[in-house]
Amino acid sequence: MVDKSRSRKNGGSGIGLSLCKKIIELHESKLNIESEENVGTNVYFDLKL
């Protein structure tokens, strides 16, 4: 977690992306993450129809 306002001491658990990844995998897809320091992070996925 880069954003300190979302730390565990403020109620965050740090498991959000892990849960998302598992749900996406159950739908036979893949969670994609692209991150660039000091710029930001993109998280995306494709679902099969």
Side-chain angles (χ1 to χ4, degrees), residues 8-42:
R8 288 192 178 115
K9 72 177 183 178
N10 291 325
S13 61
I15 63 171
L17 282 177
S18 294
L19 290 173
C20 292
K21 181 177 185 266
K22 184 61 178 176
I23 292 168
I24 295 299
E25 287 173 348
L26 289 170
H27 288 280
E28 299 178 1
S29 192
K30 181 181 174 184
L31 189 65
N32 301 289
I33 301 172
E34 297 174 349
S35 184
E36 190 173 339
E37 192 172 349
N38 298 319
V39 174
T41 301
N42 292 314

